[in-house]
Amino acid sequence: PVEVRYNEGCSPGNGKGKIYRQEPPLRADVDLEAPILLYSGCFDVVFDIEGKGRIEPVLDSPSERTDQPNRFNLKAYNSLDFTAVPEAGYVLDDVLVNGERMLVFAGSSFRIPEIVKDHSVEIRFVEIASDPEPSPPVTHTITSTVLFGTCTISPLGAIVVNEGANQQFAITPTAGVVQTLSVDGVPVACNQAGCTHTFTDVRSDHSLEVICS
């Protein structure tokens, strides 16, 4: 005798599903009068989606859809192909089927083959990290001033310099001679006919002052 046992797992429209198990199994030694049990039905594949994205399943028939989003009902031994599609600004990070991690390849297409039990699928989309705004450079100001006389300093005034950079100043008398050159209030040597002074590896504000006569 043969008895078919339906697992009551098929959604409306999916019928009685397909045979997915036989007891006793094929080629088993059995009593001549022992019944052969055939199990038929369908199984659910339920997706849990985290983050911004969606799945695009490839279904054999509309009846495999259910009245619940991201829950599909497949006849035994059918396969389910699906693609994980992230929204703009997101990327597919992880796919787990019944707790088992699947490899994520370009295209993000997957297959659950020969379904003979219910499946749970976890899909996680994560936001693409944007490049942080570069920090503005640390700067310092060197102020060059002609205190008296007809001299020129190039460059003249408040000069902004990036930290760690070098900055050179040229001092030239237009009439007469350079009398004194002070850097941060301290006199430094300068030829009467003119000279240059370089601030190296600038780490703080500075001043440069000239007197010509």
Side-chain angles (χ1 to χ4, degrees):
V2 175
E3 180 183 340
V4 179
R5 294 187 177 180
Y6 170 49
N7 71 358
E8 307 291 338
C10 295
S11 295
N14 251 355
K16 295 288 186 178
K18 297 177 183 176
I19 302 297
Y20 62 90
R21 191 168 82 243
Q22 172 184 312
E23 293 178 0
L26 192 66
R27 298 188 180 87
D29 292 329
V30 296
D31 187 297
L32 214 66
E33 296 182 1
I36 301 296
L37 301 179
L38 302 179
Y39 293 84
S40 72
C42 305
F43 299 94
D44 285 341
V45 179
V46 180
F47 289 83
D48 180 18
I49 299 176
E50 178 184 342
K52 293 186 177 182
R54 68 183 189 279
I55 60 162
E56 293 181 350
V58 179
L59 302 177
D60 291 339
S61 72
S63 61
E64 292 183 337
R65 291 190 182 275
T66 69
D67 56 1
Q68 298 179 24
N70 298 324
R71 175 177 170 266
F72 303 92
N73 185 248
L74 284 87
K75 295 178 181 179
Y77 274 102
N78 278 14
S79 298
L80 179 61
D81 294 324
F82 65 91
T83 302
V85 183
E87 290 187 12
Y90 283 75
V91 65
L92 178 63
D93 181 62
D94 217 358
V95 177
L96 286 84
V97 177
N98 300 325
E100 296 280 335
R101 182 167 281 105
M102 298 187 75
L103 294 177
V104 177
F105 297 104
S108 303
S109 294
F110 305 91
R111 164 170 282 201
I112 304 174
E114 297 185 343
I115 294 170
V116 292
K117 64 178 181 179
D118 291 336
H119 285 66
S120 62
V121 184
E122 300 171 62
I123 296 181
R124 183 173 65 175
F125 299 99
V126 295
E127 192 171 5
I128 299 172
S130 58
D131 293 332
E133 291 292 329
S135 300
V138 177
T139 61
H140 301 284
T141 302
I142 302 176
T143 304
S144 62
T145 309
V146 177
L147 294 179
F148 181 81
T150 53
C151 292
T152 61
I153 304 176
S154 179
L156 179 66
I159 309 304
V160 178
V161 181
N162 288 343
E163 185 169 87
N166 301 334
Q167 178 63 53
Q168 184 182 77
F169 292 84
I171 299 96
T172 307
T174 53
V177 296
V178 176
Q179 184 173 333
T180 61
L181 170 63
S182 298
V183 173
D184 298 333
V186 179
V188 296
C190 182
N191 192 295
Q192 289 185 334
C195 63
T196 60
H197 181 82
T198 302
F199 294 88
T200 60
D201 190 24
V202 174
R203 299 288 170 180
S204 62
D205 294 347
H206 294 280
S207 64
L208 183 145
E209 298 172 333
V210 177
I211 295 176
C212 291
S213 62

